[in-house]
Amino acid sequence: VFMLQELSNVKKELQGLSGEDKVIVWTLISMFLPFFVTVPAVIFAFFYMIKEGRLQTVMKKTPFGYTIAFFLVLTLVVSLCYRNWWGVGLGMLLGMVIMVLMYYRTLVNHAMFDLIVRIAVFLMCLCAVYALFEYAYRIIVMLDWDIMALPIPSKRQYRIRVGFFNANYYAMIIEFTILLCFYKIQGKGSKASKLYYLCAMLLQAFILYLTGSRTGMVAAVGGIGIMILFLMNKYVIAAFTSGCGALIVFFATKPQLFPRVTFLERNFQARFAIWEGAWRCFQAHPLFGQGSFTYYFNYLQSIDTPHEMYKTQHAHNLLLDPLASFGIIGSFLVLLYLAGFLKQAWLLFRAKTDKGLVALVAATLAVTLLHGVFDYTIFWVQTAMFFFFLLGAMAMYFPQTQIRMQMN
């Protein structure tokens, strides 16, 4: 009954949006659909923003907007100079993502943010249902394994991914969704609403386990821990600590149930080989890098040479890949842009404004950093959109960043 009422309310709210708001909302909703739907949606929103004459205003209103615009142009030029065509293509696409999410920051308000959050959780529940069927098909039909043992395949072609390119990108989307569910649970709402989001969170946690993303599991627990610390409720903290302890004991006594545990040593060796290659890329071009996808660009050039790099798309590390791709200069510009979000979070925290949102932002950063130790999943259309969607919500409390007053 609650879900039916929720769907009815969402439909009414979508119909009541202005044209500009509809473009942003539908574009953000597309990040929970297969990526071949998300990409055209982002491109459409980007050119819609240009058609409406919003581009310059958006850059002006966004903290460090011109800085990130300069970075996007710089990395595109660098990619072109080295004929890094993968970098050119992905750099242009992610540039559009950043600009569209800057556009969102100038329009977001409480109603818009809450609407997208509710739709996001609902769509991710549908994704979870699809993931269960996908998992069953891969385990029973493709691998002929005993599904009751909940085996987690190691090979990427057998891991569940729904429409999120691969299992690790899907895992990061799930991590952010778990944070959204907890955000709704600790906020205002009816008992039925809180029960719905609790069930949704538990469902997402189970699907996260089925993805086989070990780093994702650790990151999700860390993110929830950060949010709980912001609540400062001793009973919730005690329950969370006890739960974490129980999980540690469970996996310590039954290590075979920890996802892909037999491949840990091999995966660590692969990571060290990747990081070594990424470090060489950085040392070769320390100032500006060679543009997006520098690691893959260099891997292709290293094939059949004495220094052939480990085959993968990126450096699998949140520090090494930006340094290798954008160099010290480019990475510094990105940090300046991110500093704008940190400043807003600090101002809201100091003013004790919307503690739940500040906790959500802090947890989002924690999840990204934790997952970024062993992977670079944030550097993709859907994950980057989700990240900037959550951080960009703080703009609703800073009128100087909004353009609503200029709208008819």
Side-chain angles (χ1 to χ4, degrees):
V1 176
F2 172 79
M3 289 187 67
L4 292 175
Q5 184 62 45
E6 184 76 349
L7 288 173
S8 176
N9 292 337
V10 165
K11 182 180 178 180
K12 291 177 182 177
E13 291 174 42
L14 285 172
Q15 292 173 341
L17 294 173
S18 68
E20 202 163 23
D21 286 355
K22 282 181 180 177
V23 170
I24 291 297
V25 170
W26 282 110
T27 302
L28 289 171
I29 290 173
S30 75
M31 64 185 166
F32 304 102
L33 302 174
F35 66 91
F36 48 80
V37 176
T38 312
V39 171
V42 169
I43 295 172
F44 174 81
F46 176 74
F47 284 104
Y48 176 87
M49 176 178 62
I50 293 176
K51 183 184 78 70
E52 293 295 308
R54 296 295 192 191
L55 185 59
Q56 187 173 354
T57 304
V58 164
M59 287 192 293
K60 184 179 179 181
K61 290 282 185 180
T62 304
F64 295 103
Y66 286 108
T67 300
I68 199 65
F70 176 70
F71 160 78
L72 294 172
V73 173
L74 175 65
T75 189
L76 186 61
V77 170
V78 170
S79 297
L80 287 168
C81 287
Y82 288 103
R83 297 185 179 182
N84 174 9
W85 306 120
W86 282 98
V88 171
L90 190 59
M92 291 176 63
L93 181 57
L94 287 173
M96 291 183 189
V97 168
I98 291 174
M99 286 296 172
V100 169
L101 269 293
M102 286 167 58
Y103 188 23
Y104 152 76
R105 289 178 72 181
T106 65
L107 294 172
V108 65
N109 55 25
H110 290 84
M112 177 189 286
F113 180 68
D114 185 65
L115 174 63
I116 299 172
V117 167
R118 285 149 53 207
I119 295 173
V121 173
F122 176 75
L123 289 178
M124 284 299 290
C125 287
L126 294 182
C127 288
V129 173
Y130 181 91
L132 290 173
F133 283 102
E134 183 182 12
Y135 175 77
Y137 176 79
R138 295 181 188 280
I139 297 301
I140 298 174
V141 179
M142 299 179 71
L143 295 171
D144 194 24
W145 289 355
D146 178 15
I147 195 171
M148 299 306 294
L150 290 180
I152 307 297
S154 179
K155 292 184 178 180
R156 65 177 62 188
Q157 64 266 35
Y158 298 125
R159 293 169 63 190
I160 59 173
R161 60 179 180 270
V162 189
F164 295 95
F165 193 72
N166 71 34
N168 293 324
Y169 292 126
Y170 181 33
M172 176 160 262
I173 295 288
I174 292 174
E175 294 157 41
F176 289 151
T177 305
I178 288 173
L179 298 184
L180 280 185
C181 290
F182 191 80
Y183 166 76
K184 294 294 287 184
I185 291 170
Q186 60 84 37
K188 297 178 181 179
S190 64
K191 290 183 179 179
S193 171
K194 291 179 184 293
L195 179 61
Y196 164 69
Y197 287 108
L198 176 61
C199 292
M201 184 171 71
L202 294 175
L203 175 62
Q204 296 302 320
F206 178 64
I207 299 299
L208 179 59
Y209 174 80
L210 295 184
T211 65
S213 177
R214 297 163 303 212
T215 310
M217 292 169 60
V218 174
V221 171
I224 293 296
I226 292 293
M227 295 190 75
I228 288 174
L229 286 177
F230 271 83
L231 292 177
M232 294 303 292
N233 184 309
K234 61 181 181 180
Y235 299 108
V236 177
I237 294 174
F240 175 76
T241 305
S242 301
C244 290
L247 278 176
I248 293 171
V249 171
F250 176 78
F251 285 121
T253 55
K254 295 183 180 294
Q256 71 276 12
L257 293 179
F258 192 73
R260 302 184 295 135
V261 67
T262 56
F263 292 87
L264 272 174
E265 183 178 355
R266 183 190 302 180
N267 293 154
F268 271 115
Q269 291 173 349
R271 288 294 187 274
F272 290 135
I274 294 168
W275 295 341
E276 182 183 357
W279 182 250
R280 290 202 304 268
C281 293
F282 168 66
Q283 287 179 313
H285 304 278
L287 289 181
F288 299 103
Q290 292 177 286
S292 302
F293 259 24
T294 282
Y295 183 96
Y296 188 65
F297 174 66
N298 280 270
Y299 158 73
L300 293 176
Q301 294 181 326
S302 74
I303 296 175
D304 295 329
T305 70
H307 301 289
E308 183 170 341
M309 297 165 63
Y310 191 94
K311 183 180 180 180
T312 191
Q313 291 83 22
H314 50 70
H316 286 74
N317 183 270
L318 191 58
L319 174 63
L320 279 177
D321 202 277
L323 285 174
S325 298
F326 313 128
I328 296 172
I329 303 298
S331 299
F332 177 71
L333 294 174
V334 173
L335 287 175
L336 278 180
Y337 179 64
L338 293 176
F341 292 105
L342 294 176
K343 181 181 178 181
Q344 288 185 340
W346 170 248
L347 291 174
L348 291 178
F349 176 75
R350 193 174 63 178
K352 298 181 179 180
T353 302
D354 202 339
K355 186 167 64 173
L357 180 60
V358 175
L360 177 62
V361 168
T364 300
L365 292 171
V367 161
T368 305
L369 291 172
L370 287 170
H371 203 138
V373 174
F374 292 106
D375 212 341
Y376 194 44
T377 45
I378 195 64
F379 196 69
W380 180 240
V381 178
Q382 291 149 305
T383 51
M385 285 178 68
F386 210 157
F387 177 81
F388 286 116
F389 158 67
L390 295 175
L391 267 62
M394 294 184 292
M396 69 177 84
Y397 290 105
F398 297 89
Q400 67 272 24
T401 67
Q402 302 284 291
I403 61 175
R404 286 194 176 277
M405 297 301 293
Q406 303 172 18
M407 297 171 60
N408 295 325

